[in-house]
Amino acid sequence: MPKIVIAIDGYSSCGKSTTAKAVAARLGYGYIDTGAMYRAVSLFFIRERVSLSSPKEVNEALEKIHISFKHNNRTDRNETCLNGLNVEEEIRKMYISNIVSEVSAIPEVRWAMVAQQQKMGRRRGLVMDGRDIGTKVFPDAEVKVFMTADTYTRAKRRQQELLAKGEMVNLQDIIDNLEKRDLIDTTRSESPLVQAPDATLLDTSHMTIEEQVDWVLELADRRLAAIHRNSHKKAANPLA
Ligand code: DC
């Protein structure tokens, strides 16, 4: 079977990462959470007091940043490492969510991250989730999904996630944060969040994670079957 790239883009807290991770596990593919990379950059910028409006400071900082993912066998999760240190828990906190959209709108930051992401997917067999995967990172991805859900549902899900980690955040604060991030993500000049013309829209407002996973897997199965059929046709009639 050929290996493909599955790009999952969309708004924050629609279940992209959870779905992408489960789809990757079922297919035996790699999984990359690109939002985690922008979050790790944000953490570094905060710690090193990098001025977001100084391209010089931003470029110098980017040269000192190395992001990797390490599999944790206990939790069965890929955890984000910043310069070799596990920052998975830290980057999910609200103070990072409050700055990450501004950081990820900086063109120099995007160029550096996109280059790394493209390297990671060179050998295909990958599920990647983010905001610009189907439009910028892998415009040739064989499967593209664009996820959305209503703001209240997304905020409730985000609140539950934070609560599970011991962080209690007011629902209205989460709604404000999501709306602010949506606005920055969709209006920034460098690769804004937009549905790729060949992406399939998935509204997860009334879906469980299992339903979302099955839906993406079905889409991937159909695409893989079509690729398989085409390669057989080509082999039988190479001049066609
Ligand atoms: O998926 P997330 O909420 O962890 O992403 C954090 C932020 O990073 C999000 O507000 C937008 C940004 N992002 C991006 O600009 N491009 C990506 N490919 C992934 C995330």
Side-chain angles (χ1 to χ4, degrees), residues 34-35 38-39 100-101 104 110 130-132 181 185 188:
T34 62
Y38 291 98
R39 286 173 179 271
V100 65
S101 280
S104 63
R110 302 207 69 79
R131 305 294 188 288
D132 58 346
R181 281 166 64 193
D185 293 349
R188 68 180 174 223

Side-chain angles (χ1 to χ4, degrees), residues 3 20-31 124-127 217:
K3 291 210 165 189
K21 203 182 325 167
V23 168
R26 291 269 286 273
L27 294 174
Y29 280 16
Y31 161 63
R124 321 302 279 183
L126 187 75
V127 186
L217 280 170

Side-chain angles (χ1 to χ4, degrees), residues 9-13 16-17 33-39 42 91-92 97 100-102 104-105 110 114 117 129-133 137 158 181-182 185 188 190-191:
D9 289 306
Y11 294 93
S12 309
S13 302
K16 293 191 302 295
S17 303
D33 170 0
T34 62
M37 298 173 73
Y38 291 98
R39 286 173 179 271
S42 304
I91 61 169
R92 305 293 165 189
S97 298
V100 65
S101 280
E102 277 163 69
S104 63
R110 302 207 69 79
V114 168
Q117 291 153 11
D129 84 87
R131 305 294 188 288
D132 58 346
I133 312 305
V137 184
R158 187 88 192 101
R181 281 166 64 193
D182 287 353
D185 293 349
R188 68 180 174 223
E190 186 71 26
S191 38

Side-chain angles (χ1 to χ4, degrees), residues 140-153:
D140 61 344
E142 288 82 358
V143 173
K144 296 184 189 180
V145 177
F146 189 87
M147 276 196 192
T148 185
D150 63 68
T151 309
Y152 180 79
T153 307

Side-chain angles (χ1 to χ4, degrees), residues 126-207:
L126 187 75
V127 186
M128 195 175 263
D129 84 87
R131 305 294 188 288
D132 58 346
I133 312 305
T135 51
K136 179 84 183 181
V137 184
F138 291 110
D140 61 344
E142 288 82 358
V143 173
K144 296 184 189 180
V145 177
F146 189 87
M147 276 196 192
T148 185
D150 63 68
T151 309
Y152 180 79
T153 307
R154 292 194 286 139
K156 283 297 268 185
R157 286 177 185 162
R158 187 88 192 101
Q159 192 183 40
Q160 289 303 319
E161 270 170 33
L162 289 166
L163 204 58
K165 288 176 195 153
E167 197 175 355
M168 176 93 123
V169 184
N170 178 279
L171 191 64
Q172 191 55 50
D173 288 347
I174 297 178
I175 291 175
D176 292 346
N177 172 261
L178 286 180
E179 286 178 342
K180 185 176 159 220
R181 281 166 64 193
D182 287 353
L183 183 70
I184 300 176
D185 293 349
T186 51
T187 56
R188 68 180 174 223
S189 61
E190 186 71 26
S191 38
L193 170 65
V194 59
Q195 182 179 351
D198 52 347
T200 311
L201 183 71
L202 178 63
D203 184 338
T204 69
S205 304
H206 305 289
M207 288 174 93

